[in-house]
Amino acid sequence: MKLMKHITIALVLCAIPAMAFGQVADCEDCEHQLPIYVGAAGFAATATGDMVNWRSTCGNTTKTGSLMPGDEGLVAALLDERGLNVACSDEDGTFELGPIMDGGWFWMHMGDNSAVGNIVAMDILDNTPTEITDSGNVTMMPGAGATVLVDDMGNFGILPTILPVAEMDPPETNTCSYGGAGTTASPYVREDSNCMLGNGGTMIRAQGPTDVFTGMRSDIAPGGTVTRPATGDLTVTVDLWGNGTGHFVTTYDAAENGANARLGHPGGVPLANTLSAMLGAVGPNAGTAIESDAAASAGLTFAHDGTSNVGTLTMTQHASYCAPTATPPVNYSAEVTFTATLDATQKTQVTPTIGTAPAAAGAAAQFKLTVVCPSASAAQPGVELVPENPFPVN
């Protein structure tokens, strides 16, 4: 092998670290590295510039130098005294070089045997290493990105322990929706490119009491709480929607769908459903369905409007659940579970086909909230309905 001309600069720091003198040999172009650097070795690579720089660190000695590429950009050298004279016996040593192309390789000698391995890009050394299986009858010498395996006969090989991560295009952040006017001439068409396919899932939306300032209801988070009124009543509404995965009407039907493509989609109308409400397992009347009898349902009633596809939970004071002035005080929280179910026709009325949740057989979605008792100081009727003062006095 024809060795390249080289220039070598040695920096010997004895037992004192180079940082003590601020004399760290620089190699800005060194973006590749031998994954293990120990013993007699050599390398071959293709340069990407007019010169290839290298840096050897072995124990407390750092050496740097440059190599001039030969024909077709080839740069190659031995690391022992016949070449760069930087052969290292320290398993923690490093040999870096660059700028070179990927695909460079190196070889190592041990006695009469030799082995080869890839020169790796230094940035992959931050990847999680692969744990090497120990067979029990080989000697393993780990390096920065590879391990040398030596058997009792002196045969050895170089096994990579850090592999590059495959490059992936960043995922699209928008969910596939639809186009078209929903008419015979221009039917709805699902998007199928530059977007993420939806999973057909659904979700129950629960909205709390009407805000006295805006007249609007606010969303209740799953598992959220609503305070029972001290007097009078208040309502919570629930309905069923697609979970943002691009549902739209499969067949244009102005009578059934109100000529609205966005069935179960933001800006549209709720999905047709059958909704039920059930009390939790704690408190009087626990585990019963909530229907129209408030006395039997902890001061709660539930009605479902099949035309609007909206369910309404109405709550009033109930002495068996909330009696803060009683002795002893009564304070039960009522857990309410809403379940939406769909028949076979409803499941296929939109695309993608509505998925069912594993929480209950045949259920499209479930939602839980907790009705809690008002505080003992809630003396004014409906005081818990009034939001905080939007114009507080500082």
Side-chain angles (χ1 to χ4, degrees):
M1 176 176 293
K2 182 179 178 181
L3 302 181
M4 303 299 122
K5 297 179 181 180
H6 61 272
I7 305 168
T8 303
I9 303 172
L11 177 61
V12 182
L13 302 179
C14 300
I16 304 175
M19 289 297 289
F21 298 97
Q23 295 177 333
V24 177
D26 191 21
C27 186
E28 294 182 356
D29 295 327
C30 291
E31 297 179 349
H32 285 74
Q33 180 174 325
L34 271 60
I36 186 165
Y37 172 49
V38 60
F43 66 87
T46 301
T48 59
D50 297 331
M51 194 73 75
V52 172
N53 300 315
W54 56 266
R55 175 172 56 195
S56 159
T57 302
C58 182
N60 292 321
T61 301
T62 297
K63 293 183 178 182
T64 62
S66 299
L67 294 169
M68 184 178 296
D71 297 339
E72 298 181 355
L74 175 65
V75 58
L78 296 174
L79 303 184
D80 59 21
E81 66 278 358
R82 297 170 297 169
L84 304 182
N85 196 24
V86 292
C88 182
S89 61
D90 188 340
E91 294 181 10
D92 293 327
T94 59
F95 187 90
E96 305 156 272
L97 69 161
I100 62 171
M101 297 175 60
D102 289 336
W105 57 283
F106 73 105
W107 65 95
M108 296 176 59
H109 300 294
M110 285 190 182
D112 295 330
N113 299 317
S114 62
V116 297
N118 290 327
I119 298 175
V120 299
M122 291 169 61
D123 57 6
I124 78 163
L125 299 180
D126 293 330
N127 295 346
T128 303
T130 300
E131 185 175 351
I132 302 299
T133 301
D134 187 352
S135 66
N137 58 1
V138 297
T139 300
M140 296 190 295
M141 294 188 299
T147 295
V148 173
L149 306 174
V150 187
D151 67 13
D152 294 338
M153 302 296 294
N155 301 309
F156 75 102
I158 301 172
L159 183 64
T161 56
I162 298 182
L163 305 178
V165 177
E167 293 185 4
M168 299 180 62
D169 293 331
E172 295 289 341
T173 56
N174 59 307
T175 304
C176 296
S177 186
Y178 58 88
T183 63
T184 302
S186 178
Y188 298 126
V189 178
R190 184 166 174 78
E191 293 178 350
D192 58 8
S193 61
N194 299 320
C195 59
M196 294 187 296
L197 293 174
N199 63 3
T202 53
M203 56 179 286
I204 291 177
R205 179 185 65 171
Q207 294 188 302
T210 304
D211 186 282
V212 295
F213 293 108
T214 66
M216 304 293 289
R217 295 178 180 269
S218 58
D219 291 344
I220 301 174
T225 60
V226 179
T227 302
R228 189 190 296 267
T231 60
D233 59 46
L234 59 83
T235 59
V236 168
T237 61
V238 289
D239 47 18
L240 184 68
W241 295 82
N243 63 357
T245 56
H247 296 82
F248 65 95
V249 178
T250 304
T251 304
Y252 180 76
D253 187 335
E256 180 179 349
N257 301 321
N260 192 334
R262 292 179 173 268
L263 182 64
H265 196 76
V269 295
L271 291 165
N273 61 82
T274 300
L275 270 166
S276 63
M278 181 74 67
L279 272 175
V282 177
N285 310 107
T288 59
I290 303 173
E291 298 178 344
S292 58
D293 186 353
S297 303
L300 308 174
T301 61
F302 183 73
H304 178 244
D305 186 337
T307 301
S308 66
N309 300 317
V310 176
T312 301
L313 178 73
T314 303
M315 59 194 73
T316 63
Q317 172 64 345
H318 194 281
S320 296
Y321 269 76
C322 303
T325 61
T327 304
V330 178
N331 188 350
Y332 285 106
S333 295
E335 183 183 76
V336 181
T337 299
F338 301 99
T339 302
T341 57
L342 304 168
D343 62 26
T345 302
Q346 292 168 332
K347 290 179 182 179
T348 58
Q349 67 181 332
V350 296
T351 185
T353 302
I354 298 171
T356 57
Q366 284 190 327
F367 187 100
K368 290 184 179 181
L369 61 80
T370 302
V371 179
V372 299
C373 294
S375 65
S377 61
Q380 295 184 9
V383 67
E384 50 284 327
L385 301 184
V386 181
E388 294 181 2
N389 183 1
F391 308 106
V393 178
N394 294 328

